[in-house]
Amino acid sequence: MATASACEQGWLVAENGRATGLLVRLRQRSYVLPWALFLFAEGTDAQLRAVFHTHIVTLEGAGLSSLLSELAAQRVTELLEPDRTGKFSRATGPCLTSLSIVENK
C-alpha cells in the first residue's frame, strides 16, 4: 500500500501496479467501486471528478493534479473523506478537503 503521508493526503495508492477496486470511505458510509466500471476522470488542481458507470466521485482540495494521474493509472485504492476540521486545515502539499459520491443516472 502507500506510506502514512499518503493517508494524511486523503488517498492511498497501490505501490505495485494497478488496483482492482476503489474503496471510498465517507464518515457515514463506505463504497467499493471496481475499476472495471471506471469511465474517466477530469478536473483541476482544486477539484476532480471520477466517473464510474454506477457512481460519480467528486473531490475538492489542493494539489489534486497528482491524484488525477494516479486515477488515470487506476492505482488509487482508497479515498478518505476528511474529518470536519480537515476542511479548514492549512496542510502543505496535496490534500482533500471534501469528498462526495452520488449515483450516476
Side-chain angles (χ1 to χ4, degrees):
M1 293 301 276
T3 63
S5 63
C7 185
E8 292 168 8
Q9 294 173 340
W11 62 86
L12 298 173
V13 175
E15 290 181 359
N16 51 354
R18 205 168 144 190
T20 56
L22 173 65
L23 173 60
V24 180
R25 286 186 189 236
L26 303 177
R27 284 188 295 277
Q28 300 296 323
R29 175 173 277 199
S30 295
Y31 297 83
V32 176
L33 302 171
W35 280 112
L37 298 180
F38 178 67
L39 299 174
F40 69 93
E42 55 92 21
T44 65
D45 215 32
Q47 183 178 37
L48 293 181
R49 191 171 68 122
V51 179
F52 290 79
H53 181 66
T54 56
H55 291 80
I56 299 173
V57 180
T58 304
L59 307 102
E60 294 180 357
L64 299 181
S65 47
S66 63
L67 177 58
L68 186 60
S69 59
E70 297 293 0
L71 288 169
Q74 298 179 5
R75 291 175 23 113
V76 180
T77 59
E78 194 168 340
L79 295 171
L80 308 161
E81 182 179 23
D83 59 19
R84 289 180 180 17
T85 59
K87 294 180 182 183
F88 305 106
S89 70
R90 297 189 186 267
T92 58
C95 66
L96 288 181
T97 56
S98 175
L99 173 62
S100 64
I101 185 168
V102 296
E103 283 190 54
N104 191 5
K105 297 182 181 192

